[in-house]
């Protein structure tokens, strides 16, 4: 199956400043692809190249099977920019109706249904909307024509937690319908729970593409065992991936990086009465990629 987005050697320089360099990336049909990196890492540059808002210094990108420069492909994309400007005097409802006509129409009641889900007031002039309400209108215009590809740049800025959860439910529904989402963010939690894969970009370079399930398997977690009698420290020392080991009488506490199998087998030699395993800390993995030490990290692509 042809990838929904195919970038090959995609590079953009702004004068002597690097915006993006040698990006090679495929985004698959029907997946949610999280695109992560600090502010200024190159996420928005990548998106603008995909949308043909700017032209590459070198390299190429194909979207929905055609060159990104073909204007006809744009009606098949829903786009929420990271810096949304809505300052007109017209009401939000009228603005959305205009955009709907530009895109060939939307299903009846679609705009109103999205507005209800996001708790958006469509009767307010756009210039009077708060930041959060402007973001809701931006999301409605991106979703309303049921595009084959959704490109969302920092989509939850200004949204309250309840609306954020509704938005994530909408994203999952797009995937369930077999359509594709590219969601760019500098906030891990924003994409962690919905993405199938994530790409991590730093200083204009793609440093990793991983399955979220793989990241979870590798993630750091805290584990605590309680036994029916004191256990010897040496039974748990030197185990692969185990660090910060604390043995106090009948309890063992440690952090584990990777698969817990060696630790579980060591604990099974004794009688376990209680075990606690905290949620894996994906943040640590991402901070490693973002850090100065991760500058020269090789591109890793998970199948």
């Amino acid at each position: 199956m042809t990838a929904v987005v195919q970038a090959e050697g995609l590079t953009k320089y702004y004068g002597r400043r690097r915006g993006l360099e040698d990006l090679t990336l495929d985004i698959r049909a029907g997946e949610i692809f999280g695109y992560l990196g600090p502010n200024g890492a190159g996420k928005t540059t990548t998106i603008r190249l995909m949308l043909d808002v700017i032209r590459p210094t070198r390299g190429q990108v194909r979207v929905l099977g055609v060159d990104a420069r073909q204007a006809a492909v744009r009606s098949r994309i829903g786009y929420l920019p990271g810096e949304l400007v809505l300052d007109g005097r017209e009401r939000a409802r009228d603005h959305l109706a205009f955009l709907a006509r530009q895109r060939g129409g939307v299903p009846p009641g679609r705009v109103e249904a999205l507005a209800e889900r996001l708790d958006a007031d469509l009767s307010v002039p756009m210039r009077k909307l708060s930041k959060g309400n402007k973001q809701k209108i931006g999301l409605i215009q991106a979703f309303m024509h049921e595009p084959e590809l959704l490109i969302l740049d920092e989509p939850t800025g200004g949204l309250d937690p309840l609306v954020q959860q509704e938005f994530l439910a909408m994203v999952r529904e797009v995937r369930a319908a077999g359509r594709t989402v590219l969601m760019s963010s500098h906030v891990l939690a924003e994409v962690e729970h919905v993405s199938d894969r994530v790409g991590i970009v730093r200083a204009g370079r793609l440093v990793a593409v991983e399955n979220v399930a793989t990241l979870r398997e590798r993630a750091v977690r805290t584990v605590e065992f309680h036994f029916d009698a004191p256990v010897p420290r040496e039974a748990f020392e030197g185990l692969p991936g185990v660090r910060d080991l604390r043995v106090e009488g009948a309890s063992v506490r440690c952090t584990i990086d990777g698969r817990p199998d060696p630790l579980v087998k060591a604990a099974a030699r004794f009688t376990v009465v209680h075990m606690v395993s905290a949620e894996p800390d994906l943040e640590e993995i991402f901070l490693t990629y973002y850090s100065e030490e991760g500058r020269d990290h090789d591109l890793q692509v998970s199948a």
Side-chain angles (χ1 to χ4, degrees), residues 22-23 93 95 146 182-183 206 210 221 236 276 301:
D22 199 27
L23 174 72
R93 176 180 289 105
H95 177 69
E146 299 181 333
L182 167 62
M183 191 159 69
L206 187 69
E210 298 277 12
R221 71 193 73 211
F236 299 91
V276 177
V301 179

Side-chain angles (χ1 to χ4, degrees), residues 25-97:
L25 174 68
D26 287 355
I27 299 177
R28 304 163 185 165
E31 77 171 335
I32 301 173
F33 188 87
Y35 198 42
L36 292 160
N39 289 328
K43 303 186 302 298
T44 297
T45 293
T46 303
I47 288 172
R48 289 174 176 169
L49 289 165
M50 290 176 182
L51 295 169
D52 195 39
V53 174
I54 57 176
R55 294 286 171 87
T57 304
R58 61 178 180 271
Q60 61 180 354
V61 57
R62 295 177 64 83
V63 179
L64 294 167
V66 301
D67 191 296
R69 299 184 183 190
Q70 293 193 23
V73 76
R74 294 171 194 168
S75 64
R76 301 163 64 192
I77 299 171
Y79 172 49
L80 175 70
E83 297 180 2
L84 183 64
V85 178
L86 294 174
D87 291 327
R89 294 175 178 272
E90 61 185 338
R91 296 179 302 169
R93 176 180 289 105
D94 298 329
H95 177 69
L96 292 169

Side-chain angles (χ1 to χ4, degrees), residues 36 186-189 192 200 202 207-208 215-216 218-222 241-244 254-258 279-294 297:
L36 292 160
H186 68 284
V187 181
L188 170 61
E192 174 188 348
I200 303 170
R202 185 189 183 286
V207 296
L215 284 173
R216 288 189 180 280
R218 290 171 42 203
V220 175
R221 71 193 73 211
T222 300
V242 172
R243 62 177 192 256
D244 302 326
C254 64
T255 56
I256 182 163
D257 184 356
E279 280 296 308
D281 185 6
L282 299 189
E283 193 79 30
E284 185 167 323
I285 289 179
F286 284 92
L287 288 174
T288 298
Y289 284 121
Y290 292 170
S291 71
E292 206 57 36
E293 289 75 18
H297 195 288

Side-chain angles (χ1 to χ4, degrees), residues 10 28 99 260 298:
L10 198 59
R28 304 163 185 165
L99 293 178
D298 291 335

Side-chain angles (χ1 to χ4, degrees), residues 148-168:
E148 296 169 61
L149 171 63
L150 263 170
I151 298 178
L152 308 172
D153 194 0
E154 304 285 354
T156 62
L159 300 181
D160 65 56
L162 288 177
V163 176
Q164 288 182 27
Q165 291 304 309
E166 190 62 40
F167 157 73
L168 293 176

Side-chain angles (χ1 to χ4, degrees), residues 105-123:
V106 301
R110 172 74 170 162
V111 169
E112 289 74 14
L114 289 171
E116 183 175 352
R117 293 186 68 172
L118 295 172
D119 192 26
D121 186 349
L122 303 183
S123 66

Side-chain angles (χ1 to χ4, degrees), residues 9-31:
L10 198 59
T11 299
K12 177 64 178 179
Y13 273 76
Y14 301 97
R16 299 179 63 182
R17 183 175 65 84
R18 180 176 67 199
L20 190 70
E21 185 159 13
D22 199 27
L23 174 72
T24 296
L25 174 68
D26 287 355
I27 299 177
R28 304 163 185 165
E31 77 171 335

